[in-house]
């Protein structure tokens, strides 16, 4: 069965500092991996995805994530955090051969302090 | 990407009543999904709505409680029936297009409060 773990309920970082939001996953086959962001009172927005190829993927708003197959991780990173990055971040996984059903992690709330 | 709208954006309902949530997409899509999200929590998939066939429900969700319609490739409705306070949640419509993209796009959500 597919599962996603986001071990941190909350991440606090100062503006201008690098940020990392952690995600590990479990699937029986090869995964598609995603990050979504949710701002207050809004739906989820797609940030980036890993499908195949280069393990480092870049997405919207300067975010990037690195797929690590041996550690089954897909951590979200940004070199320099902005206050406007404060939001709820969801990691998600889907098996390549598992149809379109996507499993979402519990979410990590990011607070960026000015 | 798809632009998705939902109606209503929020509602306060009395227990025992039903609410129908509408989801409209600005382009034709193969797959539409309905999720439930407790405030500040993760998403739980209720069902997958495919045009021309019955919706597929996830474990713990049944058609009598959450009937879904999908009359065409741009529109779907979710009804929350015989509501109780436990149904208070945010309901999200989402779309995906197999074979063309991999990510999903989400509507703004419907915030439901049952009193």
């Amino acid at each position: 069965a597919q599962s996603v773990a986001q071990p941190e309920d909350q991440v606090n970082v100062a503006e201008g500092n690098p940020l990392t939001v952690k995600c590990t996953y479990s699937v029986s086959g090869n995964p598609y991996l995603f990050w979504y962001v949710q701002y207050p009172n809004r739906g989820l927005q797609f940030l980036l995805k890993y499908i195949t190829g280069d393990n480092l993927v870049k997405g919207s708003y300067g975010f990037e994530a690195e797929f690590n197959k041996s550690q089954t991780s897909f951590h979200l990173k940004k070199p320099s955090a902005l206050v406007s990055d404060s939001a709820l971040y969801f990691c998600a996984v889907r098996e390549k051969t598992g149809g379109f059903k996507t499993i979402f992690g519990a979410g990590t709330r990011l607070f960026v302090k000015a | 990407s798809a632009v998705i709208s939902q109606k209503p954006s929020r509602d306060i309902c009395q227990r025992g009543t039903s609410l129908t949530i509408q989801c409209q997409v600005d382009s034709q899509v193969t797959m539409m999904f309905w999720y439930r999200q407790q405030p500040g929590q993760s998403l739980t998939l209720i069902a997958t709505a495919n045009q021309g066939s019955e919706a597929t429900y996830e474990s713990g969700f049944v058609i009598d409680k959450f009937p879904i319609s999908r009359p065409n490739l741009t529109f779907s409705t979710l009804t929350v029936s015989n509501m109780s306070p436990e149904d208070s949640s945010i309901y999200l419509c989402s779309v995906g297009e197999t074979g063309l993209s991999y990510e999903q796009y989400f509507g703004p959500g419907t915030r439901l409060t049952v009193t």
Side-chain angles (χ1 to χ4, degrees):
Chain A
Q2 306 169 70
S3 66
V4 180
Q6 294 183 241
E8 303 154 316
D9 292 335
Q10 183 171 310
V11 170
N12 298 309
V13 64
E15 187 174 34
N17 284 359
L19 69 87
T20 298
V21 182
K22 296 180 180 177
C23 171
T24 59
Y25 65 90
S26 175
V27 297
S28 57
N30 293 316
Y32 295 135
L33 295 159
F34 309 88
W35 277 100
Y36 292 86
V37 59
Q38 187 175 37
Y39 298 100
N41 300 314
R42 296 176 65 177
L44 274 72
Q45 297 179 31
F46 168 72
L47 266 184
L48 52 79
K49 64 189 175 189
Y50 172 80
I51 303 301
T52 188
D54 193 347
N55 289 343
L56 182 65
V57 294
K58 295 184 183 298
S60 306
Y61 312 121
F63 285 93
E64 59 187 29
E66 185 167 12
F67 169 59
N68 187 318
K69 188 173 183 178
S70 63
Q71 297 185 4
T72 62
S73 67
F74 190 57
H75 301 331
L76 181 69
K77 300 182 179 183
K78 186 174 183 180
S80 179
L82 299 172
V83 172
S84 57
D85 292 331
S86 299
L88 187 58
Y89 290 80
F90 292 97
C91 182
V93 65
R94 188 166 83 238
E95 286 190 48
K96 289 186 178 181
T97 57
F100 216 88
K101 182 176 179 179
T102 303
I103 303 300
F104 288 82
T108 298
R109 189 166 296 280
L110 173 67
F111 287 102
V112 181
K113 187 175 181 180
Chain B
S1 65
V3 177
I4 305 167
S5 59
Q6 284 184 235
K7 291 181 181 180
S9 59
R10 59 179 60 219
D11 207 341
I12 301 173
C13 302
Q14 292 189 347
R15 69 173 67 208
T17 62
S18 298
L19 176 71
T20 295
I21 302 168
Q22 299 179 6
C23 177
Q24 180 73 55
V25 189
D26 68 343
S27 59
Q28 293 185 339
V29 293
T30 304
M31 306 185 77
M32 297 181 77
F33 309 91
W34 287 99
Y35 287 86
R36 184 169 70 183
Q37 183 186 22
Q38 299 290 337
Q41 302 296 317
S42 187
L43 282 71
T44 301
L45 181 63
I46 298 172
T48 301
N50 298 307
Q51 195 270 335
S53 63
E54 293 286 330
T56 304
Y57 289 84
E58 298 298 309
S59 176
F61 298 95
V62 295
I63 188 172
D64 290 346
K65 176 68 175 177
F66 297 101
I68 288 171
S69 76
R70 180 85 195 271
N72 56 52
L73 292 174
T74 64
F75 186 79
S76 178
T77 67
L78 169 75
T79 299
V80 186
S81 303
N82 188 25
M83 289 184 285
S84 66
E86 291 72 34
D87 294 320
S88 297
S89 191
I90 299 169
Y91 292 85
L92 292 162
C93 173
S94 176
V95 304
E97 188 66 59
T98 57
L100 297 178
S101 66
Y102 301 90
E103 62 269 24
Q104 292 174 239
Y105 295 92
F106 289 83
T110 296
R111 184 180 294 270
L112 171 61
T113 302
V114 183
T115 60

